[in-house]
Amino acid sequence: MSIKRRACIAGAYEHPLRLAPDKTVAQLHAECAKGALEDAGLTLQDVDGYFCAGDAPGLGAVNMVDYLGLQARHVDSTETGGSSYLVHVSHAAQAIAAGKCNVALITLAGRPRSEGSSGLVPRASSAATPDVPYELPYGPLTLNMYAMVAARHMHEFGTTSEQLAWIKVAAAAHAQHNPHAMLRAPVTVEDVMNSPLLSDPLRRHDCCVVSDGGGALLVVRPEIARSLKRPVVQVLGAGEAVKGQRNGQVDLSYSGAVVSGPLAFEEAGVKPSDIQYASIYDSFTITVLMQLEDLGFCKKGEGGRFVADGNLISGVGKLPFNTDGGGLCNNHPANRGGITKVIEAVRQLRGEAHPKVQVPNCTLALAQGTGGQLGSRHGSATLILEREA
């Protein structure tokens, strides 16, 4: 069953806080839900579907449905890390198309900055997780797993650190217009190259911020979206995938977007060259480059040249990306930036991005998320969204 134009995103909200030491995770979820409902012009009583992932406290949907006081007849707690919330948009659209719910609420929230989280220590993992006994003795960290992927890409295709730096430069060029962004100062390629080397070849400016906060989305039936006083943003296509180690036969030069991207484009009936704006998951600069290649915006191995010389800067290059500053400069709530990618894509399609970065007459946008680690196993999700004429 295709979800093409079977559901719309009617509400989108990004929590303004980047540090929230006096709030609970459940409270942040609730504040994000409130913001999305107000954005759409709906109430909690209208919500009959709820979607969350591993950032939600307790039993996830069970606890949050009760905490929010929802009367949900459909819930989904699919967990694919930072890509979960793009998967949730797809699953919500599927549920709406199947008649399981009419108004689906998706929330994300967390406090990693308040809790001192970083990518410099091993993630907490249960010994029962099948990969742990084989990988943990070698000390895999979020940072060095992505550095390994960057090093492989450089070795195989000649990608340079200066080319990766252009991704940070573009994100910073956009973040200066976002009053909520953690890092608002513009940077140059030289600034990136002069920042401390953390895990060869990645430098500090190649890494995303760590922030508290969150976001929420409302996915609704098209007739409901058209009854609201908001521009109608339709779900045009979606794809999801999981890339793993395949018993050691893994190629580090590509991401799960090689599967999720074509699925989304096929369902939407469009091609990469049709996309006017792209929200690309940016946990690290190498994450962006890899996904752009795998989504088909350029050929494999040509990502370095594609991102260079301001090609991702709105009003300058051919493919404006992450016009809120992304995870590299704006925020990365709960160490899971997927929902913010959808939120900024919705802003662009509504014409509500900052005037300095708004893509003129933006009618077709892509949001791409990853969850996990490119160097080991991760989820990938792709959404193509369209503003209804």
Side-chain angles (χ1 to χ4, degrees):
M1 176 180 64
S2 174
I3 60 172
K4 185 176 182 178
R5 298 192 177 97
R6 302 291 295 276
C8 302
I9 298 178
Y13 178 79
E14 179 184 0
H15 204 289
L17 292 183
R18 304 295 181 259
L19 181 65
D22 59 341
K23 295 181 182 289
T24 67
V25 172
Q27 184 180 357
L28 289 170
H29 274 272
E31 291 177 0
C32 291
K34 179 175 182 290
L37 287 164
E38 290 176 348
D39 179 66
L42 295 170
T43 70
L44 280 175
Q45 288 66 45
D46 296 311
V47 176
D48 59 354
Y50 179 69
F51 294 69
C52 66
D55 59 281
L59 291 177
V62 172
N63 286 83
M64 289 308 304
V65 165
D66 185 39
Y67 182 79
L68 294 171
L70 299 176
Q71 296 296 317
R73 59 191 181 101
H74 185 81
V75 297
D76 186 328
S77 55
T78 298
E79 170 62 284
T80 59
S83 61
S84 299
Y85 318 92
L86 290 90
V87 171
H88 289 162
V89 172
S90 173
H91 288 190
Q94 293 172 40
I96 288 169
K100 299 296 184 182
C101 61
N102 296 312
V103 177
L105 171 64
I106 303 166
T107 65
L108 162 135
R111 302 171 63 253
R113 188 178 177 196
S114 291
E115 295 167 2
S117 172
S118 76
L120 302 178
V121 295
R123 292 185 176 185
S125 299
S126 167
T129 304
D131 53 273
V132 167
Y134 303 96
E135 297 180 6
L136 192 62
Y138 297 96
L141 311 176
T142 301
L143 175 59
N144 64 26
M145 295 297 280
Y146 279 81
M148 179 173 64
V149 171
R152 181 63 194 179
H153 203 279
M154 290 177 172
H155 170 78
E156 191 161 345
F157 303 113
T159 308
T160 68
S161 292
E162 287 84 358
Q163 289 171 334
L164 288 180
W166 274 105
I167 298 171
K168 172 70 174 189
V169 171
H174 299 148
Q176 65 180 310
H177 305 298
N178 181 353
H180 300 301
M182 285 184 64
L183 304 176
R184 296 188 63 195
V187 301
T188 65
V189 170
E190 291 72 24
D191 291 332
V192 179
M193 295 301 296
N194 291 331
S195 65
L197 186 67
L198 299 183
S199 183
D200 193 16
L202 297 181
R203 292 171 165 80
R204 179 180 292 169
H205 278 317
D206 288 301
C207 308
C208 70
V209 299
V210 175
S211 69
D212 298 347
L217 298 163
L218 282 169
V219 184
V220 306
R221 299 184 67 85
E223 54 267 34
I224 295 175
R226 295 182 187 117
S227 73
L228 304 171
K229 297 179 180 180
R230 309 296 284 129
V232 176
V233 175
Q234 299 176 319
V235 180
L236 203 62
E240 59 189 81
V242 174
K243 181 191 176 188
Q245 294 280 21
R246 298 182 62 190
N247 298 317
Q249 301 176 27
V250 65
D251 182 344
L252 294 177
S253 70
Y254 72 92
S255 72
V258 298
V259 176
S260 65
L263 290 172
F265 281 114
E266 181 180 8
E267 183 169 42
V270 300
K271 54 189 183 297
S273 59
D274 296 323
I275 300 297
Q276 297 166 282
Y277 166 77
S279 281
I280 306 293
Y281 200 100
D282 55 344
S283 49
F284 298 87
T285 52
I286 186 62
T287 319
V288 176
L289 187 148
M290 295 262 290
Q291 291 169 105
L292 288 171
E293 292 178 339
D294 296 337
L295 290 167
F297 288 107
C298 61
K299 293 181 180 179
K300 176 55 65 178
E302 296 181 1
R305 291 187 292 277
F306 184 82
V307 303
D309 302 320
N311 195 43
L312 302 181
I313 299 176
S314 185
V316 176
K318 293 185 295 184
L319 184 67
F321 106 119
N322 295 13
T323 45
D324 61 341
L328 290 169
C329 296
N330 175 26
N331 73 334
H332 193 228
N335 291 327
R336 294 161 168 261
I339 204 166
T340 61
K341 301 298 166 275
V342 184
I343 292 169
E344 185 65 6
V346 170
R347 289 193 192 112
Q348 281 285 351
L349 290 168
R350 288 175 169 180
E352 297 173 352
H354 191 282
K356 293 288 188 179
V357 300
Q358 175 66 52
V359 176
N361 193 32
C362 185
T363 59
L364 194 63
L366 175 145
Q368 168 65 28
T370 65
Q373 298 180 354
L374 291 188
S376 57
R377 56 198 58 79
H378 61 274
S380 177
T382 310
L383 291 176
I384 298 174
L385 307 176
E386 177 186 57
R387 187 183 73 213
E388 186 175 72

